[in-house]
């Protein structure tokens, strides 16, 4: 949203103690507290700056008259779970997969979903006009603490076939990247009877073992550990434990869209159909599986928050993104790494097949991601021209322009944060995917010249 001054796609994310100072955090939280005026739960990830920012947030909330509950260090979805079940609002201190010097503040509503744009704009107005409510001295509450993690883990276990998982006795290597999952995933998998080996499962805001973003490059130690230990599965999370990435029994990195498709297939089978929500940048495999197993698909603009909202509004069954973020709306209205992990081991246990085999059975597509530079001020014009010159094709303009052909599709979108266009293509063969992506790049360059 161009008119938003502080918030990105989901919250505020900045360098800790430069822009994101205690003063900034406290005032922003007071503005949020002014709108909520109720019981607000606060939690955060393992970053070095999280305690500092959290205390400022607690002060701001108390000052505006909220009753606050400190949930400690825990995954983002565990805060969302707590808020949905017990509180009027929530604040999460996290920068997800960003480098250690960053931190961020996410606000959620009483359902645990990221707050809507109009509420963000109200918070910004109050922030800049300096008029959050400040209650009189005798209306300031105390800080309550609450430990929700055990309950959260129990509720994840209740949503899967724990006996089947226990019988399978799977050998799993878990790499939490020293992030918030240190407090959940190893315990969850042990309770489910898995043989767990941990790495980077000591909480540490310097992220000494690896970068908090679970990319293939960053997960080489996990890949080696899975191979060397002869494990059935490797599991990795991002810093705030809302995303799960899998390594198969051969040490192969499983792309997020594959995990999404695998879980989609079993959710649809288990529930005999249902509504799936994803973004326009997600694989055709999601549609193929929906067709085969009685599902229906809605595609939103890119962003996990938009998927979560569409799931709630349409009473959807399951949703996700191609980056490995899966949403189970009857549990948490946001990506949840713990339930994703439990679902994946459940599928392996019940199907009695190795992960590589389960992935091989899914519809197969190849994708290609490219980017091309474009000055910010020209983005709108370039986008309009691309829409004009591609009108002879089948196009979807939910987010940017997605062109669909016999061979596959390419989506061309301006980046919201960088001076680039992203071209993401998918086809049955690698050659076609590359061709489609090239075509997207060419379209951007041609409009830039004209
Ligand atoms: Mg995250």
């Amino acid at each position: 949203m161009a008119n938003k001054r502080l918030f990105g796609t989901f919250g505020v994310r900045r360098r800790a103690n430069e822009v994101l100072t205690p003063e900034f955090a406290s005032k922003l939280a007071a503005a949020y507290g002014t709108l909520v005026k109720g019981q607000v739960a606060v939690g955060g990830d393992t970053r070095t700056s999280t305690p500092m920012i959290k205390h400022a947030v607690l002060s701001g909330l108390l000052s505006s008259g909220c009753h606050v509950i400190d949930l400690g260090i825990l995954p983002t979805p565990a805060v969302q779970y707590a808020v949905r079940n017990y509180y009027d609002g929530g604040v999460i201190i996290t920068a997800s997969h960003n480098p250690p010097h960053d931190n961020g503040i996410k606000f959620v509503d009483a359902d645990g979903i990221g707050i809507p744009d109009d509420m963000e704009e109200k918070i910004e107005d109050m922030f800049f006009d300096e008029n959050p409510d400040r209650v009189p001295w005798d209306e300031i509450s105390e800080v309550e603490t609450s430990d929700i993690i055990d309950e959260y883990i129990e509720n994840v276990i209740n949503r899967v076939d724990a006996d089947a998982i226990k019988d399978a006795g799977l050998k799993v290597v878990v790499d939490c990247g020293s992030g918030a999952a240190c407090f959940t995933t190893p315990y969850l998998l042990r309770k489910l009877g898995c043989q767990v080996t941990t790495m980077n499962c000591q909480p540490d805001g310097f992220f000494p073992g690896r970068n908090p973003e679970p990319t293939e490059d960053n997960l080489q130690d996990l890949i080696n550990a899975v191979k060397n230990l002869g494990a059935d599965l490797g599991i990795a999370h991002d810093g705030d434990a809302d995303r799960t990435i899998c390594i198969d029994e051969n040490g192969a990195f499983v792309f997020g869209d594959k995990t999404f498709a695998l879980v989609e297939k079993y959710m649809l089978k288990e529930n005999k159909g249902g509504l799936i929500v994803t973004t326009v940048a997600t694989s055709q495999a999601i549609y193929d599986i929906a067709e085969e197993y009685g599902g229906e698909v809605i595609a939103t603009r890119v962003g996990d928050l938009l998927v979560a909202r569409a799931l709630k509004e349409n009473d959807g069954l399951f949703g996700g993104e191609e980056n490995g973020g899966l949403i189970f709306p009857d549990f948490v209205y946001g990506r949840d790494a713990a339930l994703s992990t439990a679902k994946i081991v459940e599928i392996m246990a019940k199907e009695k097949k190795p992960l590589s085999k389960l992935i091989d059975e899914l519809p197969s597509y190849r994708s290609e991601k490219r980017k091309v530079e474009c000055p910010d001020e020209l983005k709108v014009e370039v986008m309009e021209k691309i829409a004009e010159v591609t009108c002879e094709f089948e196009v979807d303009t939910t987010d940017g322009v997605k062109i669909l052909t016999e061979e596959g599709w390419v989506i061309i979108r301006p980046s919201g944060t960088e001076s680039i266009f992203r071209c993401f293509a998918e086809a049955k063969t690698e050659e076609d995917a590359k061709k489609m992506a090239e075509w997207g790049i060419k379209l951007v360059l041609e409009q830039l010249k004209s």
Side-chain angles (χ1 to χ4, degrees):
M1 294 290 117
N3 51 347
K4 284 198 280 183
R5 289 158 285 173
L6 294 172
F7 291 95
T9 46
F10 190 169
V12 175
R13 216 179 276 182
R14 296 285 195 284
R15 189 177 272 252
N17 227 12
E18 287 185 11
V19 179
L20 197 51
T21 59
E23 293 85 349
F24 176 98
S26 166
K27 195 168 164 191
L28 199 69
Y32 169 81
T34 301
L35 297 175
V36 175
K37 291 277 181 212
Q39 299 209 26
V40 179
V42 183
D45 65 16
T46 60
R47 285 167 194 273
T48 55
S49 57
T50 295
M52 176 191 81
I53 295 166
K54 187 175 76 179
H55 284 97
V57 165
L58 293 172
S59 293
L61 291 169
L62 291 168
S63 153
S64 65
C66 289
H67 183 84
V68 298
I69 300 92
D70 182 357
L71 299 176
I73 300 174
L74 72 174
T76 290
V79 179
Q80 292 176 282
Y81 165 86
V83 172
R84 176 172 172 171
N85 288 290
Y86 303 110
Y87 308 117
D88 305 308
V91 188
I92 307 158
I93 319 299
T94 177
S96 188
H97 58 266
N98 279 35
H101 54 67
D102 283 349
N103 212 329
I105 300 176
K106 287 179 171 184
F107 295 113
V108 299
D109 68 12
D111 288 317
I113 302 193
I115 55 169
D117 291 342
D118 59 344
M119 188 165 172
E120 288 185 342
E121 281 161 23
K122 276 185 203 155
I123 292 172
E124 288 179 337
D125 288 346
M126 247 187 270
F127 182 91
F128 288 108
D129 300 343
E130 312 213 9
N131 64 350
D133 281 359
R134 305 292 186 181
V135 294
W137 69 272
D138 55 351
E139 288 174 30
I140 301 168
S141 332
E142 291 176 18
V143 177
E144 195 184 309
T145 57
S146 175
D147 189 354
I148 198 79
I149 288 178
D150 288 345
E151 179 187 323
Y152 169 75
I153 291 174
E154 277 314 310
N155 272 280
V156 169
I157 293 171
N158 290 341
R159 282 175 160 74
V160 292
D161 187 340
D163 291 335
I165 300 170
K166 279 175 191 154
D167 289 346
L170 295 168
K171 201 168 168 181
V172 187
V173 188
V174 177
D175 177 351
C176 292
S178 293
C182 295
F183 298 97
T184 48
T185 302
Y187 302 95
L188 167 68
L189 288 174
R190 285 191 182 117
K191 282 194 166 184
L192 287 169
C194 297
Q195 298 176 54
V196 179
T197 305
T198 59
M199 53 194 293
N200 302 320
C201 285
Q202 81 288 16
D204 189 327
F206 291 94
F207 304 119
R210 68 161 166 92
N211 180 297
E213 177 146 37
T215 59
E216 186 169 2
D217 279 352
N218 292 336
L219 297 180
Q220 289 305 311
D221 289 346
L222 174 62
I223 287 170
N224 289 330
V226 169
K227 284 194 226 168
N228 294 338
L229 293 167
D232 298 297
L233 173 70
I235 290 283
H237 302 296
D238 66 333
D240 67 330
D242 60 355
R243 280 196 288 144
T244 293
I245 286 293
C246 298
I247 306 298
D248 77 13
E249 77 286 0
N250 303 314
F253 179 90
V254 179
F255 284 93
D257 58 348
K258 297 282 182 190
T259 326
F260 178 23
L262 177 66
V263 179
E264 178 203 12
K265 181 172 158 183
Y266 286 88
M267 290 292 286
L268 287 174
K269 270 166 96 175
E270 257 181 9
N271 294 280
K272 302 192 171 40
L275 180 72
I276 306 297
V277 180
T278 185
T279 78
V280 276
T282 300
S283 176
Q284 176 64 28
I286 298 302
Y287 292 85
D288 295 354
I289 291 167
E291 194 167 348
E292 192 174 344
Y293 295 97
E296 199 193 317
V297 181
I298 295 182
T300 67
R301 283 192 291 126
V302 173
D304 55 312
L305 192 50
L306 300 169
V307 175
R309 283 197 198 126
L311 280 165
K312 182 169 179 249
E313 280 159 20
N314 299 287
D315 198 18
L317 172 70
F318 174 61
E321 297 172 294
E322 86 290 349
N323 63 7
L326 309 182
I327 305 177
F328 303 86
D330 74 331
F331 183 49
V332 167
Y333 283 122
R335 305 187 293 206
D336 187 312
L339 187 49
S340 303
T341 302
K343 270 282 161 200
I344 289 155
V345 291
E346 180 190 36
I347 293 165
M348 290 172 68
K350 289 181 94 168
E351 293 294 310
K352 299 186 170 60
K353 284 177 190 168
L355 185 59
S356 65
K357 181 90 175 48
L358 292 164
I359 299 294
D360 276 348
E361 290 170 356
L362 299 168
S364 170
Y365 290 93
R366 303 303 291 260
S367 60
E368 182 75 15
K369 279 182 179 170
R370 300 282 302 270
K371 56 187 172 185
V372 55
E373 284 180 20
C374 172
D376 288 334
E377 64 274 15
L378 295 179
K379 280 175 174 172
V380 173
E381 196 187 329
V382 167
M383 204 67 261
E384 280 168 2
K385 283 185 185 167
I386 291 175
E388 265 170 48
V389 298
T390 55
C391 62
E392 62 192 287
F393 297 97
E394 186 188 344
V395 292
D396 180 335
T397 55
T398 306
D399 196 351
V401 172
K402 182 179 184 180
I403 313 165
L404 302 108
T405 70
E406 287 281 295
E407 287 75 37
W409 55 262
V410 56
I411 182 164
I412 307 165
R413 297 170 46 236
S415 163
T417 50
E418 294 169 76
S419 299
I420 55 166
F421 265 86
R422 293 186 193 281
C423 296
F424 184 20
E426 186 186 76
K428 272 281 176 193
T429 66
E430 194 177 334
E431 200 194 340
D432 280 343
K434 283 197 170 135
K435 262 194 229 159
M436 297 288 293
E438 279 300 329
W439 182 36
I441 298 283
K442 205 174 118 221
L443 280 168
V444 176
L445 291 174
E446 280 171 4
Q447 312 321 312
L448 267 174
K449 280 188 207 123
S450 71

